[in-house]
Amino acid sequence: MHKLLISFQARVAGLLAWMPRPVRRALLWAAVAAPLGLLAFTLALVPFTPSISDIRKAKSELPAQLMSADNKLLAEYRWANREWMELHQISPNVVNALIATEDHRFYDHFGLDWRRTASSVVLTLRGDPQGGSTITQQLARNLFPEEIGRSRTLTRKLKEAITALKIEASYTKDEILETYLNTVPFLYNAVGIEMAARTYFDKSADKLNVLESATLIGMLKGTAYYNPVLNPERAQARRNTVLAQMVKRGKLDQKQLEALQKRPLRVNFERQTEVMGPAPHFALQLRKQLIAWADSNGYNLYSDGLVIRTTIDSRLQAIANQAVARQGRQLQGVADAAWSQRNGWGPQSDLVQALVRESAEYRAAVDKGEVPEDAQTALLADTAFMHKLRAEKTRVQAGFLAQDPVTGHVLAWVGSRDFAQDPFDHVQAARRQPGSTFKPFVYGAAFANGASPDDTLMDSAVEIPLGGGRVWRPTDGKPPSDEPMTLADGLAFSKNTITAQVMQQVGPARVAEVARALGVRQSPLEAVPSLALGTSPVTLKEMITAYSSIVNLGRYVEPVMITRIEDRHGKVLETFAASTPEVVFDGRAAQTLRNTMRGGVDRGTGAAIRSRYGIEADVAGKTGTTQDNTDGWFILMSPRVVAGAWAGFNDGRITLRSDYWGQGARSALPMVGEFMQQAIRTRVVNGQERFVDEFTDAVPPPTDGSLGSMREWLRGLFRSDPQTPAAPRPGTDGLPPVTRDPVPAVAPPVPAEERVGG
């Protein structure tokens, strides 16, 4: 190198001697001005690089903590799936491999290795591009990718160099190594050496041997290119290069090298999932809102140590998780039997063939040029693929939500049976037909128009013209009794024939208006007669909010999830005011509806709340089951807790294939029943509290004089003698081909009081 420099200087001197004096003078001025200009430009960039305080903050970042109302940790918001390890907790093999390969003069420079930089320039000019960045420069890029960037420009390199010098001024060498090893990415959402060790070798970073350490450090040259999972040959070759560098730098004995280089990779790959705590869907729903708040208030959700106080009660959340898990296992056993190889899951099934054609594997095969029919045939014959497809498609799902109807506080939120398997949120994101849980809005509209729960209608066949020659004929699971039935019994036993007649009088538009006012405000509602039986998809969160408005006697309260946000020292940064109740519905009608809905659990389709779960508290509720038992619902109301559950499958074509288990009373009610039973038993919920009647009038006057008295109309239309009408047998709740809650013709033996429709 020294001889090349002397030769270069001699050639330059000879060239200058032949140049005219003005040209030489201009070149000399340029030679002086260029470094000065570069220096000035470099100094101008200093304010645009991360400050020392930013660098120290990056090392000591604290993720925001999501806390329950009873001060239990629910989740942490981390910017990456990382666990910080101190340097002494990391295997020395990792450190030795890193320094030998990436920066062997690490302890001798102050952030920039001029010799390495010059060497990389010469090698690059010879056609062998080499990186000249030190570990400190690489750390600067890892910590501040947005501020520094990765483009190959002079500006970027100068920013990187300035930041590296700042890092060296802020950290000791060991701190730099520790920070680097904890911030470098390793694919598969694994950031830092600890997560990399767990991902690729299923062990902690302090247990990594020489071969494993060399494999991980070898990935740093190009994580995707040297991925040991997808490119094992490249990864092994790169690992051997790292081993050779360790020998060259005196970190490994030469005698060991040959034997070590012949060893296989032996990767033990396991993707690491981020631990989201006991309420992962709730935490995920809040993330966007919290990021927006932090950005607008000058904070970083992932590093400033914010503490977010929520309304979740950790005790109720734990009970809800347990209830969903227990019922999920029960229903999964039913689904596994219903979709076994002998019972419908086979290559001859049209549905199974359709599911195969919709799979990613099928699309990939066709995209590669395979004939569609051949691709389908091959996949249908692939036992492993078919087993995987069946497990995915027939996995029972559920959603659960509990809310305080008075304050609007969300108390428990379970978005699916297993967040890791299915992160899709069935509380707020999923819209499903609510079935008969929608019927209270029909009766509420009737009560607001002057109807009474004691009014009677005939349980007989109903035909409602839809126009264009079409007729809607709602039916139940068995023939009508052709006897009078009170509206209270019609709701308690979920009679479609009675509900359809009530809908006919109040009108679909009014029912949709009532539902929207009470809380179904995001999902579009189709104002058609079948809306009475819950044909418009809605979310579980909307239904819980609407039922809360019923408990609140017509007052709508916006759901609340956050009460306040604090900084890391406990200083309150913002307090979120409680929701102000908004009167949206006639209070007398809401009171009548709420009290009437007690019948659903006292003697109707939700009677298992009393008989099976022994709940003696003052409660009211409603079951719901949709066409072909696709969706099962149950919502229970108490004075301070409204809890509801949905059960079904992500794909509406898949069902439990059981008129017994498919009912909401069988699929969804057990989750709510166990939840309320345990909540009262552990005294988290006061089982002695009772609904309060604010209105003493038995029957309110009509709110719309133009419609006249619906109550009088109903009583005049059908016989309404003083004798008690024959009590209907436990009813059914369904409407082919729209919605139904059927009673099975043949069902396993159950206690008589539980033999009700859903």
Side-chain angles (χ1 to χ4, degrees), residues 581-628:
E582 173 191 357
V583 178
V584 296
F585 187 64
D586 180 76
R588 290 178 179 83
Q591 178 176 297
T592 301
L593 176 61
R594 182 203 64 192
N595 293 344
T596 303
M597 291 178 69
R598 285 184 174 120
V601 296
D602 288 341
R603 66 187 188 281
T605 57
I609 287 294
R610 304 288 194 201
S611 62
R612 178 178 176 184
Y613 295 98
I615 296 172
E616 298 178 357
D618 191 6
V619 294
K622 186 71 191 76
T623 58
T625 310
T626 63
Q627 175 67 19
D628 295 328

Side-chain angles (χ1 to χ4, degrees), residues 41-60:
F41 181 63
T42 302
L43 294 174
L45 287 175
V46 172
F48 300 98
T49 57
S51 67
I52 291 178
S53 62
D54 289 335
I55 294 169
R56 292 192 184 280
K57 181 180 176 181
K59 180 179 182 294
S60 60

Side-chain angles (χ1 to χ4, degrees), residues 441-681:
F441 307 136
V442 180
Y443 289 85
F447 296 151
N449 282 348
S452 166
D454 295 328
D455 292 337
T456 60
L457 289 170
M458 290 297 292
D459 177 22
S460 57
V462 177
E463 293 187 355
I464 299 178
L466 299 178
R470 295 176 301 137
V471 178
W472 181 44
R473 298 181 178 88
T475 62
D476 294 291
K478 58 183 177 181
S481 64
D482 290 321
E483 295 181 357
M485 178 178 287
T486 64
L487 300 190
D489 282 344
L491 181 56
F493 295 106
S494 206
K495 293 291 291 184
N496 290 337
T497 53
I498 302 298
T499 306
Q501 293 176 69
V502 178
M503 165 67 89
Q504 195 172 16
Q505 294 306 311
V506 298
R510 175 57 179 158
V511 172
E513 180 185 348
V514 170
R516 280 192 288 265
L518 291 174
V520 184
R521 301 188 172 188
Q522 285 75 48
S523 300
L525 299 175
E526 189 177 6
V528 296
S530 62
L531 176 65
L533 308 186
T535 55
S536 285
V538 297
T539 68
L540 178 58
K541 185 183 178 188
E542 289 175 305
M543 293 297 289
I544 296 298
T545 301
Y547 274 53
S548 295
S549 299
I550 296 173
V551 175
N552 261 343
L553 303 186
R555 303 180 189 94
Y556 170 83
V557 176
E558 183 75 23
V560 178
M561 294 185 278
I562 303 173
T563 55
R564 68 181 185 272
I565 299 178
E566 304 168 358
D567 67 11
R568 66 176 68 187
H569 305 295
K571 178 184 176 182
V572 177
L573 302 176
E574 184 166 347
T575 299
F576 295 84
S579 295
T580 302
E582 173 191 357
V583 178
V584 296
F585 187 64
D586 180 76
R588 290 178 179 83
Q591 178 176 297
T592 301
L593 176 61
R594 182 203 64 192
N595 293 344
T596 303
M597 291 178 69
R598 285 184 174 120
V601 296
D602 288 341
R603 66 187 188 281
T605 57
I609 287 294
R610 304 288 194 201
S611 62
R612 178 178 176 184
Y613 295 98
I615 296 172
E616 298 178 357
D618 191 6
V619 294
K622 186 71 191 76
T623 58
T625 310
T626 63
Q627 175 67 19
D628 295 328
N629 302 310
T630 301
D631 305 281
W633 294 72
F634 181 69
I635 302 177
L636 187 69
M637 302 182 293
S638 73
R640 291 306 298 266
V641 177
V642 174
W646 165 88
F649 298 84
N650 286 335
D651 192 322
R653 294 168 295 181
I654 305 293
T655 72
L656 289 171
R657 306 179 76 184
S658 167
D659 286 342
Y660 178 78
W661 288 104
Q663 301 172 46
R666 301 291 180 183
S667 60
L669 184 147
M671 290 181 271
V672 180
E674 180 179 340
F675 170 83
M676 189 61 72
Q677 179 192 62
Q678 295 302 316
I680 293 174
R681 179 177 295 172

Side-chain angles (χ1 to χ4, degrees), residues 5-26:
L5 184 60
I6 294 175
S7 174
F8 176 74
Q9 290 174 335
R11 292 187 180 184
V12 171
L15 182 61
L16 289 173
W18 285 94
M19 288 184 179
R21 180 172 294 181
V23 176
R24 286 203 307 269
R25 186 179 294 114

Side-chain angles (χ1 to χ4, degrees), residues 679-719:
I680 293 174
R681 179 177 295 172
T682 56
R683 299 184 180 180
V684 183
V685 171
N686 182 3
Q688 302 302 314
E689 204 164 2
R690 299 190 62 80
F691 292 122
V692 176
D693 286 342
E694 295 183 9
F695 306 95
T696 56
D697 341 20
V699 179
T703 57
D704 187 346
S706 64
L707 292 177
S709 173
M710 180 179 177
R711 180 185 180 191
E712 293 303 319
W713 179 89
L714 289 170
R715 287 182 172 176
L717 185 60
F718 298 109
R719 177 173 59 87

